[in-house]
Amino acid sequence: MAMRPPSSGSFFGGLRVRELSGGRGSSARASAARLHYLSDLSSDPGGRGSGVISVEHDGDPAIPFAVSFCKAALVSRLLAVADEDGYVSLYDTRRRLPSRSSSLEKSAEMRLSDWVAHNNAIFDVCWIKEGSQLLTASGDQTVKIWSVENKKCLGVLSGHTGSVKSLSCHSSNPELIVSGSRDGSFALWDLRCDPKAPNGHGEACLTSSAVVKEAHSPVRKSRTRSRAKGASTSITSVLYLKDDISIATSGAADNVVKLWDTRNLKAPVSNKTSQSTAQPSKEGVTHGISCLSQDSYGAYIAASCMDNRIYLYSALHMDKGPIKCYTGSKIESFFVKSAISPDGTHILGGSSDGNIYLWQVDQPELGPIVLKGHEGEATSVDWCALEVGKIVSSSDDTTVRVWNTKKIDCTNISSPTVIRKRVTAPKIECPRSASHERATTSRDVPACNSAGGELPTSSHSPLRPRVLEFGTPESAKKRAYSLFQEEALETRNSPGGQTDSPSSVLNPPPSLKRKTIRDYFASSTS
């Protein structure tokens, strides 16, 4: 179908003209459409889609705090980078990116656009409305709404009394936003509400529709005064779940993921802090959570914990605690983030040792792929939703690295086991708080430090469902395994088990299967 070329004078128009004149061959598109394992990732230049970006403004380097690929299909290669100086920069990751040695001198050339969004650091960014708008969360205690095309501020979300650390958008209604702050509260915003009087800069100000304070306040076992009260009460991550009703939050004070029903925010669905007895902390210390993420189906929630582990939860069974655990990275600050892949098959994580780690969701015992290149703490990471094999990472070395595969391996590949059925809203009666220390891997697997980032030989085999294995005392292990067997048996014997049971989410009938990233990518190139 013929399309009218947009005006080249606009931001998106110029981007479209550059793309249409790129002249990518059909053979390249056919190769890129194949599903491959992420065992040959590289940020070395030499082709489109990989390289190093130096973050600087007028010659002054800046540390990037947040990176995010656009989630809209037509502009999914757009990358937003927010830094400590309050700038937002946009990049087209399909262009030829420079190497580390030439990244500084070509930094201005690589940028599509940049502007000062805040007079303070930006901790999170969020694309909304098909990539036409961008939300920025800042240390100035506000969230701003920006038009990507003309870099104009469309509104300011004000009301927090601390730095805004995290943002998340409703999956089907881009007008609904949730934000988490260092003041210990999270707030819900409806962008359709009429703004109040503009601020001193003439920007329209919006107030929150609901606020929950002290969402993750530390449990005081004594009357001794806390030495780091501000840090301990901070909300570190918020997540609008795919059921469009629930919100997940995490904090610096505890190792608990709390789920909230937006229809009744007086208390979380369950407010019990289930401190693990299977793996007690030294001197009663609890480990905070730095980041929450979910796959595009809403089936899994991944949580990065300050005990150097990433825990995986089933969104249908949060009350049962983590089902898998991933080790190898070092999470020594709340700036170190992780992200589960859109299809729910891999987990990508930064690390305080400067490496990027990549795990297979179904096989944590294999250990991670280790991607080397950063020279400082690796912090924010993200997946490109529609280009399989492309990821991004940021670091305290003032660079952003875009990683991509250099070759396509199509041997012995089958479709990974992914959950294709949207998760429904949880019932309020079901306990939903979960401790991150309830499960560990059966053993700590050392990181795979091969120079080329190669997987073990078994990594090319299809992903298979595995029996849950936890490094807990024998009683806890038997209890978890028995619950798994009972649920599988009940599901298999029930008349409606193939369509209505929780187990059907893992193996739905063909008529209910949703498209994976490969299906979308293949259809766009056909």
Side-chain angles (χ1 to χ4, degrees), residues 453-468:
E454 297 182 356
L455 278 170
T457 55
S458 61
S459 64
H460 291 283
S461 62
L463 301 179
R464 300 180 177 88
R466 298 179 58 85
V467 177
L468 307 182

Side-chain angles (χ1 to χ4, degrees), residues 27 35 65 246 306 335 371 399 516:
S27 60
L35 178 65
F65 281 167
S246 304
M306 295 291 288
F335 290 97
L371 307 177
T399 66
T516 64

Side-chain angles (χ1 to χ4, degrees), residues 321-516:
I323 58 176
K324 292 186 185 296
C325 175
Y326 307 87
T327 59
S329 63
K330 294 183 179 181
I331 307 174
E332 299 176 353
S333 79
F334 288 104
F335 290 97
V336 177
K337 311 293 184 180
S338 66
I340 189 170
S341 63
D343 61 359
T345 60
H346 293 81
I347 292 179
L348 176 69
S351 178
S352 297
D353 61 12
N355 298 326
I356 303 298
Y357 292 82
L358 185 65
W359 296 266
Q360 289 190 33
V361 164
D362 285 348
Q363 295 177 312
E365 68 280 356
L366 291 180
I369 301 172
V370 181
L371 307 177
K372 296 180 177 293
H374 284 300
E375 300 173 359
E377 183 176 67
T379 50
S380 181
V381 295
D382 196 20
W383 298 81
C384 184
L386 296 181
E387 294 186 42
V388 180
K390 179 181 287 188
I391 60 176
V392 65
S393 61
S394 63
S395 172
D396 287 354
D397 61 6
T398 71
T399 66
V400 170
R401 285 182 176 261
V402 180
W403 310 76
N404 212 337
T405 51
K406 299 177 68 174
K407 63 180 180 180
I408 307 300
D409 183 5
C410 298
T411 60
N412 192 21
I413 290 180
S414 65
S415 177
T417 303
V418 297
I419 298 179
R420 296 177 170 86
K421 188 174 181 181
R422 175 160 291 199
V423 177
T424 57
K427 296 182 179 180
I428 295 180
E429 294 78 13
C430 178
R432 301 300 296 272
S433 271
S435 170
H436 286 280
E437 297 186 0
R438 292 181 59 183
T440 60
T441 51
S442 56
R443 63 185 181 275
D444 289 335
V445 183
C448 173
N449 290 316
S450 58
E454 297 182 356
L455 278 170
T457 55
S458 61
S459 64
H460 291 283
S461 62
L463 301 179
R464 300 180 177 88
R466 298 179 58 85
V467 177
L468 307 182
E469 297 179 358
F470 302 111
T472 59
E474 193 66 24
S475 59
K477 184 185 296 184
K478 290 181 179 179
R479 182 166 60 255
Y481 184 69
S482 63
L483 288 173
F484 182 88
Q485 286 184 319
E486 291 174 5
E487 182 183 68
L489 182 61
E490 291 174 359
T491 301
R492 191 164 53 247
N493 296 335
S494 62
Q498 294 184 352
T499 58
D500 298 329
S501 66
S503 299
S504 67
V505 176
L506 295 174
N507 296 286
S511 61
L512 295 180
K513 290 186 177 180
R514 298 174 66 91
K515 289 185 177 181
T516 64

Side-chain angles (χ1 to χ4, degrees), residues 166-438:
S166 179
L167 289 171
S168 183
C169 177
H170 194 279
S171 62
S172 60
N173 188 349
E175 306 287 351
L176 301 179
I177 308 296
V178 61
S179 61
S181 171
R182 195 174 186 269
D183 60 15
S185 70
F186 69 89
L188 275 66
W189 312 81
D190 190 337
L191 304 186
R192 297 166 296 187
C193 295
D194 294 332
K196 60 181 183 180
N199 59 16
H201 301 284
E203 300 166 334
C205 294
L206 285 77
T207 56
S208 59
S209 56
V211 179
V212 175
K213 298 181 178 180
E214 298 183 352
H216 283 266
S217 296
V219 178
R220 294 183 176 86
K221 297 183 179 180
S222 64
R223 295 186 178 180
T224 58
R225 181 175 298 177
S226 172
R227 295 183 179 179
K229 182 178 179 181
S232 63
T233 61
S234 175
I235 299 293
T236 56
S237 187
V238 291
L239 204 60
Y240 237 126
L241 300 189
K242 300 299 182 180
D243 61 15
D244 294 340
I245 294 174
S246 304
I247 291 175
T249 63
S250 64
D254 50 34
N255 61 338
V256 175
V257 176
K258 292 186 179 182
L259 265 69
W260 308 75
D261 191 325
T262 55
R263 299 164 295 186
N264 180 17
L265 290 172
K266 293 182 179 179
V269 176
S270 177
N271 199 24
K272 295 180 180 179
T273 304
S274 53
Q275 181 67 34
S276 173
T277 57
Q279 189 182 12
S281 301
K282 296 181 180 180
E283 300 179 358
V285 176
T286 57
H287 300 284
I289 300 166
S290 67
C291 180
L292 298 176
S293 65
Q294 63 180 334
D295 61 294
S296 61
Y297 307 107
Y300 295 126
I301 297 176
S304 295
C305 191
M306 295 291 288
D307 63 354
N308 297 323
R309 292 177 172 88
I310 297 176
Y311 297 90
L312 185 72
Y313 292 86
S314 168
L316 288 174
H317 304 290
M318 289 291 292
D319 56 302
K320 295 183 179 180
I323 58 176
K324 292 186 185 296
C325 175
Y326 307 87
T327 59
S329 63
K330 294 183 179 181
I331 307 174
E332 299 176 353
S333 79
F334 288 104
F335 290 97
V336 177
K337 311 293 184 180
S338 66
I340 189 170
S341 63
D343 61 359
T345 60
H346 293 81
I347 292 179
L348 176 69
S351 178
S352 297
D353 61 12
N355 298 326
I356 303 298
Y357 292 82
L358 185 65
W359 296 266
Q360 289 190 33
V361 164
D362 285 348
Q363 295 177 312
E365 68 280 356
L366 291 180
I369 301 172
V370 181
L371 307 177
K372 296 180 177 293
H374 284 300
E375 300 173 359
E377 183 176 67
T379 50
S380 181
V381 295
D382 196 20
W383 298 81
C384 184
L386 296 181
E387 294 186 42
V388 180
K390 179 181 287 188
I391 60 176
V392 65
S393 61
S394 63
S395 172
D396 287 354
D397 61 6
T398 71
T399 66
V400 170
R401 285 182 176 261
V402 180
W403 310 76
N404 212 337
T405 51
K406 299 177 68 174
K407 63 180 180 180
I408 307 300
D409 183 5
C410 298
T411 60
N412 192 21
I413 290 180
S414 65
S415 177
T417 303
V418 297
I419 298 179
R420 296 177 170 86
K421 188 174 181 181
R422 175 160 291 199
V423 177
T424 57
K427 296 182 179 180
I428 295 180
E429 294 78 13
C430 178
R432 301 300 296 272
S433 271
S435 170
H436 286 280
E437 297 186 0
R438 292 181 59 183

